[in-house]
Amino acid sequence: MRRQFVAGNWKMHGNLAGNAALLGDVVAGVGTAPCEVAVCVPFPYLGQCRQLLEVSNIALGAQDCSVHSSGAHTGEVSVAMLQDFGCRYVIVGHSERRADHHESDSLVAAKAERALEVGMTPIVCVGESLAERESGETATVVLRQLQAVTHLLGGQTAGIVVAYEPVWAIGTGRTATAAQAQEVHALLRAHLRKVSEAAGEVRILYGGSVKPDNAAELFAQPDIDGGLIGGASLKATDFLAIAGAAHDKRP
Ligand code: PGA
């Protein structure tokens, strides 16, 4: 059975006072969430958020990691450092990093490998741009992105989480329809199944303008196992409502 998973991606938002208020409300309200819940916070707040989450069953995650294990890499943060702060998850290959920092498919795959090496779970993001969707390249793009990861990881692929985030739906208020998302999730799942039976049961999250009013329909799709939530994860009531829309999936 795939346990549904709702992860917040705070992006570059937050401050000490705001984080305390937000996580205070999320921790207080998460009790009955029918899924696993995580928040992926900016690096400087990992220590603070770890403390705030101590009494809860909400997992902590980061939004990126270095491809290097240690060494002379000014400004980089290693997976060992993230692990030191109690991170269970790390987002890799978010489209904003692919775009802003020219991250390649192979770099993203190597970052996923670093995370697995220390026992952390990478949340590997894939997704097409609007131009790619409109020119009929969605399948080619997302499978190329995922294949780079499965090729490098092989049997270890079973240890990752995948997030399908169409770039045109991120932060735009323009969500993929449940049918559009399910179609891509099914393609991704078919590829994962070819890697191994266990990889076929990897959780595939949907991300891109998930809100309380569209979460239930998205999460009800057979191959959608939860969501990666940007904007709506910054408001406790919205994030909790989205987590409340999840439910477990039988294989
Ligand atoms: P959004 O972001 O929910 O604000 O669209 C999702 C993401 O980028 O992970």
Side-chain angles (χ1 to χ4, degrees):
M1 184 160 60
R2 297 195 300 274
R3 181 149 195 245
Q4 285 214 326
F5 180 30
V6 171
N9 172 14
W10 288 6
K11 308 194 181 190
M12 200 171 71
H13 294 289
N15 53 58
L16 289 172
N19 302 343
L22 172 59
L23 284 186
D25 289 346
V26 171
V27 168
V30 79
T32 55
C35 63
E36 187 177 351
V37 178
V39 287
C40 299
V41 310
F43 292 139
Y45 299 127
L46 285 169
Q48 180 205 17
C49 293
R50 180 191 202 177
Q51 277 195 330
L52 291 167
L53 296 177
E54 220 161 42
V55 290
S56 78
N57 52 8
I58 299 172
L60 184 63
Q63 299 170 14
D64 183 40
C65 64
S66 177
V67 71
H68 306 288
S69 296
S70 69
H73 304 287
T74 303
E76 297 269 286
V77 176
S78 72
V79 285
M81 294 170 183
L82 299 180
Q83 202 184 30
D84 239 0
F85 279 86
C87 285
R88 196 178 308 157
Y89 294 99
V90 58
I91 297 170
V92 296
H94 190 280
S95 60
E96 286 152 16
R97 293 209 58 88
R98 291 182 192 258
D100 298 351
H101 301 274
H102 311 290
E103 293 198 1
S104 65
D105 296 340
S106 58
L107 180 81
V108 172
K111 287 184 174 190
E113 188 181 40
R114 287 299 85 69
L116 287 172
E117 277 165 7
V118 297
M120 277 169 51
T121 301
I123 301 174
V124 178
C125 300
V126 301
E128 82 287 2
S129 67
L130 185 58
E132 288 163 341
R133 172 160 285 265
E134 286 176 344
S135 59
E137 291 174 88
T138 299
T140 314
V141 170
V142 298
L143 289 174
R144 186 200 73 220
Q145 292 172 334
L146 183 59
Q147 210 155 9
V149 176
T150 58
H151 180 71
L152 183 68
L153 299 183
Q156 285 185 291
T157 300
I160 72 172
V161 168
V162 174
Y164 168 56
E165 299 205 310
V167 178
W168 48 271
I170 293 177
T172 58
R174 194 179 154 183
T175 326
T177 64
Q180 277 175 325
Q182 166 56 27
E183 190 183 355
V184 177
H185 281 235
L187 276 175
L188 297 171
R189 175 127 12 247
H191 173 75
L192 291 163
R193 280 217 177 96
K194 278 192 233 154
V195 176
S196 71
E197 200 182 320
E201 286 306 307
V202 153
R203 291 179 293 184
I204 309 176
L205 314 182
Y206 170 79
S209 299
V210 179
K211 303 280 181 257
D213 62 2
N214 59 25
E217 193 189 356
L218 286 161
F219 298 169
Q221 301 303 308
D223 290 300
I224 299 183
D225 305 315
L228 184 55
I229 318 301
S233 72
L234 299 172
K235 204 174 153 202
T237 47
D238 284 359
F239 188 55
L240 290 168
I242 291 168
H247 52 83
D248 291 338
K249 286 279 160 66
R250 309 222 165 250

